Amino acid sequence: LAASGWMFLRVLVSAIGDWEAKVTLAEIMYLWLAASVILFFLFALEFCGYRFWKKPVNLLLISAVPIFTTLAVATHQWHGIEWLNIHPSFDSSGILVVWSHSFLYWLQTGYFWSLVFTGYLLLWGNAIQHKGLYRRQIFALLAGTLIPGLGVAIFSLGFGYFLGTDIIPIAFIIGFVVYATALFRFRFLNVVPVARGTLVEVMPDGIVTLDEKMMVKDINPAAERIIGKNKEKVIGQLITTIWPDMQPAFDNLKKGRHFEFTTRSRNDLEITLTDLHDSRRKIIGYLLVLRDITERRKMEQTLKESEARYATLVEQSNEAVCVVQDNSVKFANNRLSEITGFDRDEIIGRSFAHFIGEAYREQVVKRLAAGNGAETAPAIYEVELLCKNGDKREVELSIGEIIDAGKAALMVTAHDITERKMTQRQLEEMYNAERELRSSLQAEMEKRSRYTRALVHELNTPLTSIMASGEMLEAEVEEPVLSALVRNIRRASHNLKQRIDELIELARGEIGLLRISPMPVDMVKLLKEIESEMLPLAKSKGLGMYLEIKGELPLALGDRGRLRQVLFNLVGNALKFTQAGHIELTSEKLADCVQVIIKDTGRGISREEMEHLFDPYRRKVNEGQGLGGLGIGLSLSKMLIELHGGKIEVNSEPGKGSTFSFTVPIYTESILAQKFSQN
């Protein structure tokens, strides 16, 4: 485009008759000339792979001379230095422009010719390194530029007219035809050579062009990074000289054309050598491709280590693992052999369905065919594995997709649950037996409860009549002997009533129907009531009774009536089994409860009796002791204290007395709420 503008203005200069217009157009024409030359030089640099001109500073330096001369021409009226001395000359054809050149013109002309010549050399050097289409493209480019250049040179030497015609436009027309041939016939601006050149520059692999003597002719940026030297230092030198690491590898490389080695800097390289031939198949050079495979080697090593760890884990796993590919087993670990009894050689190569129990085989085959694509497929199957000896092992089977040797495969994991299933079945059998036993026991307890209620009802009916009659008779009888007999009848009736009540409560406790109503209880007041009521009986037997309250006693949380019942039982037993001595009642506050202690000086309790002391109906009476009772008082007391959340204990030695103690929780609102929710 710049050359076309130059020629267009040159035609205008010749055609226009106005003198001043001719001068103005001539000055503008030389600006287009400068643009043509500079753009040609920049194109030659870009085409040959030099990028330094793209820096603004370098571009400014290349354009310095045209810029300077342009400024000189624009300001010549101030300094008197003209670029061209242009004056008219008249002849028979009209006005001609006569040129006389100043030193500025020759300065710029010499600079322009140096740029053109340098560009020629660059393109020529590039042309001889290529062959075929690329060489023809560059030669056409050189010819299309050389012809106008020669025309300009001839004109500058004073031979500008040929047969009365300006030679420069003719030279440019011929040059344009050659350029058109390069563009359209030889596809000079085809994207392929441009793309290939760009690819070589940006590709991560190093590319080194060598001649037949192994001297470096060209090198791309990636190769510069790998070798560690820039292009200017390696062009024209032997590859083994600039890169000593290549010497031991190069001999092997020339034999195999492909080689991998490690450099002194511990980088792993993959190098390939390819012959370059001319049209007669003669080797004119070599193409050396360098690929840094350090990271790939590290990844391969990491992968190998990972595979080794995985293989170790798989082999040592308690799970049976196999890989199924193309409907056959490609891998099996030791655990699968242990479970089935088959050797690995007997497993590998066979269909996995062959080892599945017949009842589950169709299901597993469908699952293997579906892979992970089955949306409704469960993650784990329970199936049977067939063993070599004919046994069957129950396993949990899970299937997942993997890639093995570049192909899709399935990894099947089997967890042996045979023992667990056996245990589960045993537990189910035991649970069913326990459920039947519990049902039978509950029915027996209900039967016993109904029997006890019926018995109590049958006993209470005549007893109520006896007690009422006794009270009436005692009021009517005045004779001392008869009055004593009536009192005995009444006392025996009350004792019998108490035993019946204890019996029904024990029965309720045994079947979980006994309940308490916890409320704040003043234990000091309750203990004093017990002392007051039991003291006459103690005195009648010649026994002492003492009450001691240690410290300040807080309120207890309990059922006052039930606690009173427990105290009557324990104190009554102490009085009953103590023939001489005294009874001590003691109470104190512990960490979170109130403790009550009843100590006597009675006969004590033997070790044999202690084992069944709180068992109902196990009363053992010593010879000579006519102590009555059903043996349920202590059992009932233990039930009541445990319902309070307390604990009852006994400590005794035969002949030294016994000590009974029990605890009840201290009253707080939170504990009260908890007790109400439990009851």
Side-chain angles (χ1 to χ4, degrees):
L1 292 176
S4 299
W6 175 20
M7 289 299 98
F8 177 73
L9 289 173
R10 188 175 182 86
V11 172
L12 287 180
V13 168
S14 300
I16 293 176
D18 183 77
W19 170 250
E20 292 182 357
K22 281 179 178 289
V23 173
T24 302
L25 289 175
E27 292 175 346
I28 297 173
M29 179 183 68
Y30 270 85
L31 293 178
W32 282 96
L33 169 62
S36 301
V37 174
I38 291 174
L39 290 174
F40 169 74
F41 178 66
L42 296 180
F43 168 76
L45 291 175
E46 175 70 18
F47 187 84
C48 295
Y50 297 98
R51 305 288 189 267
F52 66 88
W53 68 269
K54 292 187 176 181
K55 294 183 178 180
V57 175
N58 295 335
L59 187 60
L60 183 62
L61 290 175
I62 294 172
S63 308
V65 172
I67 293 173
F68 172 72
T69 55
T70 300
L71 292 175
V73 171
T75 59
H76 73 91
Q77 67 270 21
W78 296 332
H79 48 70
I81 302 175
E82 293 185 350
W83 174 43
L84 297 171
N85 185 9
I86 307 173
H87 57 273
S89 176
F90 300 93
D91 59 10
S92 59
S93 62
I95 302 176
L96 294 177
V97 177
V98 179
W99 313 85
S100 60
H101 305 109
S102 68
F103 80 95
L104 288 178
Y105 170 81
W106 292 112
L107 172 65
Q108 179 169 278
T109 300
Y111 180 68
F112 283 169
W113 278 111
S114 66
L115 293 182
V116 172
F117 183 71
T118 303
Y120 262 88
L121 291 179
L122 290 173
L123 291 174
W124 181 267
N126 193 279
I128 62 177
Q129 293 181 6
H130 292 82
K131 60 181 180 179
L133 176 63
Y134 303 113
R135 180 176 291 183
R136 292 193 293 273
Q137 289 175 349
I138 300 174
F139 280 155
L141 175 66
L142 289 172
T145 307
L146 180 61
I147 294 172
L150 290 174
V152 173
I154 293 172
F155 180 83
S156 300
L157 293 174
F159 305 100
Y161 293 92
F162 179 73
L163 300 176
T165 304
D166 188 354
I167 194 173
I168 292 180
I170 297 174
F172 267 90
I173 290 174
I174 298 173
F176 289 161
V177 172
V178 177
Y179 262 99
T181 302
L183 288 172
F184 300 106
R185 176 67 178 84
F186 298 146
R187 305 187 300 279
F188 180 70
L189 296 182
N190 195 313
V191 71
V192 174
V194 177
R196 288 184 178 177
T198 303
L199 176 63
V200 170
E201 291 297 316
V202 302
M203 69 188 307
D205 293 342
I207 303 295
V208 181
T209 303
L210 306 172
D211 62 12
E212 67 276 9
K213 296 180 181 179
M214 294 295 173
M215 295 182 67
V216 178
K217 305 300 291 184
D218 192 19
I219 184 172
N220 73 339
E224 290 180 326
R225 290 192 300 270
I226 294 173
I227 297 175
K229 295 181 180 180
N230 56 35
K231 192 172 188 177
E232 289 75 12
K233 293 183 179 181
V234 300
I235 297 294
Q237 298 191 47
L238 288 172
I239 183 66
T240 53
T241 301
I242 63 173
W243 197 15
D245 286 357
M246 276 292 294
Q247 185 60 58
F250 208 70
D251 296 334
N252 295 324
L253 179 64
K254 286 189 291 185
K255 296 177 182 177
R257 302 292 172 178
H258 181 85
F259 191 70
E260 294 182 4
F261 78 107
T262 303
T263 65
R264 296 177 185 175
S265 59
R266 309 306 300 171
N267 287 333
D268 296 315
L269 292 182
E270 179 185 75
I271 54 181
T272 305
L273 189 67
T274 304
D275 297 339
L276 299 177
H277 300 88
D278 60 10
S279 58
R280 292 172 294 179
R281 301 303 298 169
K282 179 183 178 181
I283 294 179
I284 59 174
Y286 304 94
L287 190 66
L288 186 65
V289 181
L290 310 173
R291 176 169 295 174
D292 191 339
I293 58 172
T294 305
E295 293 301 322
R296 192 185 77 186
R297 285 278 182 86
K298 291 180 180 178
M299 292 177 63
E300 289 175 352
Q301 183 62 28
T302 302
L303 182 60
K304 288 180 181 178
E305 294 174 356
S306 177
E307 289 177 347
R309 287 195 299 269
Y310 176 75
T312 302
L313 290 174
V314 170
E315 288 298 336
Q316 296 178 352
S317 174
N318 288 327
E319 311 293 335
V321 179
C322 69
V323 175
V324 179
Q325 192 177 65
D326 298 331
N327 297 322
S328 64
V329 179
K330 301 297 182 182
F331 167 81
N333 69 346
N334 288 329
R335 182 59 179 158
L336 185 59
S337 297
E338 293 174 2
I339 292 177
T340 61
F342 289 97
D343 294 334
R344 285 196 187 190
D345 295 339
E346 296 176 301
I347 298 175
I348 295 176
R350 304 181 73 172
S351 171
F352 183 72
H354 175 78
F355 303 98
I356 302 297
E358 187 174 353
Y360 304 91
R361 190 169 298 166
E362 182 179 356
Q363 179 188 20
V364 173
V365 169
K366 290 181 179 179
R367 181 68 177 87
L368 291 174
N372 282 345
E375 297 181 357
T376 59
I380 297 177
Y381 289 87
E382 289 189 3
V383 301
E384 290 179 347
L385 281 183
L386 300 179
C387 300
K388 189 174 183 179
N389 60 4
D391 292 342
K392 295 180 180 179
R393 303 290 293 183
E394 295 180 274
V395 297
E396 285 180 343
L397 208 65
S398 61
I399 302 174
E401 290 184 353
I402 61 170
I403 300 297
D404 183 51
K407 294 177 61 178
L410 296 173
M411 185 169 72
V412 182
T413 304
H415 176 62
D416 191 353
I417 58 173
T418 306
E419 302 300 329
R420 191 184 77 188
K421 283 290 188 178
M422 291 177 60
T423 303
Q424 184 177 344
R425 284 191 287 268
Q426 291 175 356
L427 288 174
E428 289 178 355
E429 293 173 359
M430 293 172 63
Y431 172 74
N432 291 332
E434 187 272 338
R435 184 172 57 184
E436 293 177 0
L437 181 61
R438 186 172 63 249
S439 177
S440 175
L441 181 60
Q442 186 173 358
E444 185 64 27
M445 291 176 65
E446 290 178 356
K447 179 179 178 181
R448 176 179 173 181
S449 177
R450 289 194 300 269
Y451 173 77
T452 303
R453 287 196 296 271
L455 175 62
V456 169
H457 177 73
E458 293 297 327
L459 292 175
N460 272 332
T461 300
L463 183 60
T464 302
S465 177
I466 293 172
M467 292 176 65
S469 299
E471 289 179 0
M472 293 176 62
L473 185 61
E474 185 179 11
E476 297 292 333
V477 174
E478 294 182 358
E479 185 178 346
V481 176
L482 294 177
S483 180
L485 293 174
V486 171
R487 284 195 298 273
N488 288 338
I489 293 173
R490 186 181 176 191
R491 186 165 50 250
S493 300
H494 280 287
N495 287 336
L496 182 57
K497 174 65 174 174
Q498 183 180 358
R499 298 295 181 270
I500 293 173
D501 291 341
E502 289 178 348
L503 180 63
I504 189 62
E505 287 189 345
L506 182 63
R508 294 175 63 194
E510 288 177 342
I511 61 175
L513 298 178
L514 190 60
R515 296 289 185 269
I516 63 172
S517 300
M519 294 295 289
V521 178
D522 186 345
M523 293 299 294
V524 176
K525 185 176 181 181
L526 179 59
L527 288 169
K528 288 182 178 180
E529 289 180 2
I530 297 298
E531 179 193 25
S532 176
E533 294 181 18
M534 301 298 285
L535 186 58
L537 179 58
K539 288 182 177 181
S540 67
K541 295 186 65 175
L543 303 175
M545 180 174 287
Y546 309 102
L547 174 63
E548 180 183 6
I549 305 297
K550 295 182 179 180
E552 185 176 352
L553 211 59
L555 294 176
L557 179 63
D559 187 322
R560 195 177 192 279
R562 296 299 187 180
L563 293 177
R564 179 184 175 88
Q565 184 178 356
V566 171
L567 284 170
F568 263 113
N569 276 332
L570 296 179
V571 175
N573 284 343
L575 290 173
K576 184 185 303 183
F577 294 102
T578 302
Q579 303 302 320
H582 61 276
I583 309 297
E584 295 180 6
L585 275 70
T586 307
S587 183
E588 62 180 337
K589 176 183 176 297
L590 300 182
D592 56 352
C593 62
V594 176
Q595 184 183 48
V596 178
I597 302 172
I598 299 95
K599 184 177 181 181
D600 63 53
T601 57
R603 66 177 181 84
I605 306 171
S606 65
R607 179 173 299 178
E608 182 183 356
E609 290 178 302
M610 191 77 74
E611 293 177 359
H612 306 285
L613 187 63
F614 293 101
D615 294 346
Y617 320 115
R618 294 294 294 268
R619 170 63 52 83
K620 181 178 180 180
V621 182
N622 292 340
E623 293 183 3
Q625 291 181 334
L627 301 176
L630 298 175
I632 62 176
L634 288 178
S635 300
L636 183 59
S637 298
K638 184 175 183 293
M639 283 184 183
L640 292 173
I641 293 301
E642 289 177 350
L643 283 175
H644 282 78
K647 186 177 182 181
I648 188 168
E649 296 179 338
V650 61
N651 187 14
S652 179
E653 280 187 52
K656 295 184 178 181
S658 303
T659 301
F660 285 82
S661 64
F662 67 87
T663 59
V664 289
I666 295 175
Y667 164 75
T668 62
E669 292 184 359
S670 60
I671 294 180
L672 178 61
Q674 181 181 359
K675 289 294 182 182
F676 269 117
S677 65
Q678 291 176 351
N679 287 285

